[in-house]
Amino acid sequence: MNTLKLDPQRLASGKVRLPGSKSMANRALLLSALASGTTRLRNMLDSDDTRYMRKALIQLGVGLREQTLDGELVIEVDGLGRLFQCSESQQLHLGNAGTAMRPLAAALAFSQGDYVLTGDKRMFERPIGPLIEALTAMGADIEYQQNEGYPPLLVHGQAFSGGSVCIDGSLSSQFITALLMVLPFNQVATHVTLTGELVSLPYIELTLAMMERFGVVVERISDREFMVPATGGYQSPGEFLIEGDASSASYFLAAAAIAGGTVRVEGTGQKSLQGDIAFASVLQQMGAKVTWGDDFIEVERGRLEGGQFDLNAIPDAAMTIATTALFAAGATEIRNVYNWRLKETDRLAAMATELRKTGAEVEEGEDYLRIVPPATIKHAQIATYDDHRMAMCFALLAFAPAGVEIEDPACCAKTYPDFFQDFAKICHL
Ligand SMILES: O=C(O)C1=C[C@@H](OP(=O)(O)O)[C@@H](O)[C@H](O)C1
Ligand SMILES: C=C(OP(=O)(O)O)C(=O)O
């Protein structure tokens, strides 16, 4: 087992230019592939999740050209101006990338051809049933190859039928995102009704904002009803800049809040389309000092106090609050995060187990964690469960008196291959 030992650090300070947002990168790749015209995607993230998407698009016949300019990855995508059409059946391996599996399942359901969508073992445990039900109601023909409701999938491309659909958004917003992104290709405008207790709402806003940049304006009839116009597809905006990843920003901002001095992340800011910038507001509520710019966020240390936070809107950055809680006075309760259980690992169980190794007292509920920090954070060897965010959020224990050891640090490649190099740059003895 490869482990990374982080010796105890005294101070966090410096600037970090963030890698591109995974959520924006995979949406932008797919929208560009389907749009009419060529799109130049700036600040592309180069990580496992975006590589799965890129590779799949190439297999589906999309022309992608890569260039690195001053360290920035730029990808030019020759849009098809239609859905996919493959004469031979294609097997797409999508790793554990939810943002590739869900949107591609929807796009391929109404493309021509037969497709197998497969991935890592964990992907076979992550539900997709509510999306497949909605697609099927619109005419799709999709078979589950192993277990009902889960990938791998066998998709026989079909034409759309009908102009209205309901979709359950209580397990993942990605189902709604996936459905919305394919619907402009329907022959008629589609009335979409969202059912269930909705989760991760800012990601739906991100989808709508990005569809708009590609020429499709979805009408909001109410909080739960949308009308997606039948535009025949998307128009390339020419160039699209992928913002710095706001979830990745959370590790650096939390480091400053815990250890001081001042850390600035660049590439995202108060005008961001990403919901995870709200992480900085949670740090502020805990006592950190936050300064917002249009393209940066800066945090200075404050006296951190725990509290009760409903973090349903920012499930990814919420994991960073769980490790920050070890450095706060009093208990922290992270509420309304049931779908942590459906992600790279069962994050509620994994988080509770690993936090306890530090001496913290942790209560794990069905959809919450209550964390009481220990008097002194103990040295621990942290298991990471092939979950990039477990590896990255526990790096904060470098600011504990005895440091930390992180198992399999390379799993951070899912969204941030250079994370530990960048983290080392803001750590000071
Ligand atoms: O749409 C997206 O880009 C994402 C939505 C969220 O998933 P859920 O909607 O399943 O919570 C988030 O956790 C994931 O990392 C990215
Ligand atoms: C939940 C995550 O990934 P995915 O896009 O695979 O759902 C994540 O990045 O934390």
Side-chain angles (χ1 to χ4, degrees), residues 79-110:
L80 298 170
R82 53 165 169 75
L83 288 171
F84 304 103
Q85 290 173 3
C86 293
S87 45
E88 277 173 37
S89 126
Q90 298 291 327
Q91 169 153 332
L92 306 178
H93 193 291
L94 303 172
N96 193 9
T99 54
M101 175 61 80
R102 281 81 182 250
L104 282 171
L108 292 167
F110 303 108

Side-chain angles (χ1 to χ4, degrees), residues 21-24 26-27 49 98-99 102-103 126 169 171-175 177 199-201 203-204 206-207 247 276 312 314-316 339-340 342-344 347 388-389 414-415:
S21 151
K22 166 202 73 170
S23 294
M24 292 185 75
N26 271 356
R27 282 169 174 77
D49 277 11
T99 54
R102 281 81 182 250
R126 300 183 65 189
L171 297 182
S172 172
S173 69
Q174 292 180 14
F175 305 154
T177 286
V199 296
S200 309
L201 280 176
Y203 289 97
I204 300 175
L206 174 63
T207 304
S247 321
D276 268 12
N312 189 276
I314 57 164
D316 295 355
N339 85 354
W340 269 16
L342 311 175
K343 300 191 185 256
E344 281 74 341
R347 288 177 167 170
H388 54 142
R389 297 200 196 284
K414 186 173 192 282
T415 54

Side-chain angles (χ1 to χ4, degrees), residues 337-351:
V337 289
Y338 168 77
N339 85 354
W340 269 16
R341 296 194 184 279
L342 311 175
K343 300 191 185 256
E344 281 74 341
T345 184
D346 176 341
R347 288 177 167 170
L348 273 158
M351 189 58 88

Side-chain angles (χ1 to χ4, degrees), residues 110 136-139 159-165 183 185-191:
F110 303 108
T136 305
M138 296 220 65
F160 282 100
S161 87
S164 76
V165 64
L183 288 178
F185 290 95
N186 193 359
Q187 290 83 358
V188 294
T190 317
H191 182 269

